[in-house]
Amino acid sequence: MILTALLVGFTGVGTASAATLRADDFEDGNSAGWTTTGGTWIVNRDGSTRVLRQSSTAANALARTGAISWRNYTVTASVRPESFNGMPGFAGVVARANSTSNYYALVLRPDDTVALTRTVGGTTQTLDTARFAVEQGTWYRLSLQVEGQRLTGTVGGVTVTASDGFLHGGPAGLVTTWTTASFDSVLITD
C-alpha cells in the first residue's frame, strides 16, 4: 500500500478503473434513454426478468444510447438471437454509431460465425470473422471495445480484431438485420 502510494507520488501513475457511461438491464420496464430506428423494439418480460426485444425479421433495426462525443469505450451486452430470416441476418452490439447507417458492430450470424463489421452509408463490410456456433434462443455475452483505430470483439472465448480509422466517435447500441433478438444487461464503460 505504501509502495503504491510512493509510486503514484513519484511517477504520477496510478491504477486505472473503468467508469460506467451507461448501464441498463431494462428492469424498470422501459427503454428510456434509447433511440430506436427500424424494427419493433419493446421491453418484454422474459421469465423473471425484463429484456429489450426487437421483433421484426424484415428490417434493419438499431437502438442507440450515448453521445456523439463518445470515442474510446467498451459496450457489452447479453444477446439472444431468436429467429434469423436467412443470410445476411445478424444480431449484436454496436459502437461509434454516429448515425443509423454508420457504425462498427460485433455480430452473431446464422452461418456459425461472429463478425466484426463496419457499416458506412448503409453498406456493411466485414473487417474480421471467426467460427462460432450460434444457436437460436441461446444467450451470448458480446463485448466490443473501440480504442483509437483498434477494434476488439469477444464472445465465448473467441476474439476478432481489426484496425480501422474510418469512424471516430458516436453512441453505443444494439443491432439486428433480418433477425429477431432480445438484449439484456447492457454495460458501457470508458
Side-chain angles (χ1 to χ4, degrees):
M1 182 73 148
I2 294 172
L3 181 58
T4 301
L6 288 173
L7 285 174
V8 170
F10 286 122
T11 64
V13 178
T15 56
S17 62
T20 299
L21 298 173
R22 170 88 199 234
D24 202 342
D25 60 9
F26 308 105
E27 289 305 312
D28 58 5
N30 66 58
S31 57
W34 292 86
T35 301
T36 61
T37 53
T40 304
W41 296 88
I42 190 166
V43 174
N44 278 348
R45 184 160 290 287
D46 186 52
S48 63
T49 189
R50 288 188 171 98
V51 299
L52 181 61
R53 184 165 191 268
Q54 194 295 111
S55 61
S56 173
T57 59
N60 296 328
L62 184 66
R64 296 185 299 158
T65 188
I68 197 73
S69 62
W70 287 5
R71 298 179 61 82
N72 299 316
Y73 59 89
T74 301
V75 55
T76 304
S78 295
V79 179
R80 180 178 65 194
E82 295 165 355
S83 175
F84 290 106
N85 191 14
M87 279 296 286
F90 56 76
V93 297
V94 301
R96 295 183 181 164
N98 61 36
S99 75
T100 58
S101 57
N102 297 307
Y103 53 84
Y104 292 116
L106 177 68
V107 297
L108 301 170
R109 295 177 170 165
D111 64 349
D112 288 333
T113 60
V114 58
L116 184 56
T117 65
R118 177 185 70 202
T119 299
V120 175
T123 301
T124 300
Q125 176 184 359
T126 299
L127 302 175
D128 193 18
T129 188
R131 300 294 301 160
F132 183 79
V134 178
E135 293 184 31
Q136 294 179 71
T138 299
W139 285 102
Y140 300 94
R141 192 78 175 151
L142 279 69
S143 184
L144 175 57
Q145 180 183 43
V146 290
E147 185 176 347
Q149 293 186 6
R150 190 178 71 213
L151 314 171
T152 306
T154 59
V155 57
V158 174
T159 300
V160 287
T161 62
S163 179
D164 188 272
F166 200 88
L167 302 172
H168 302 288
L174 312 167
V175 66
T176 67
T177 296
W178 306 111
T179 304
T180 64
S182 290
F183 302 88
D184 200 6
S185 303
V186 179
L187 178 63
I188 306 157
T189 57
D190 69 359

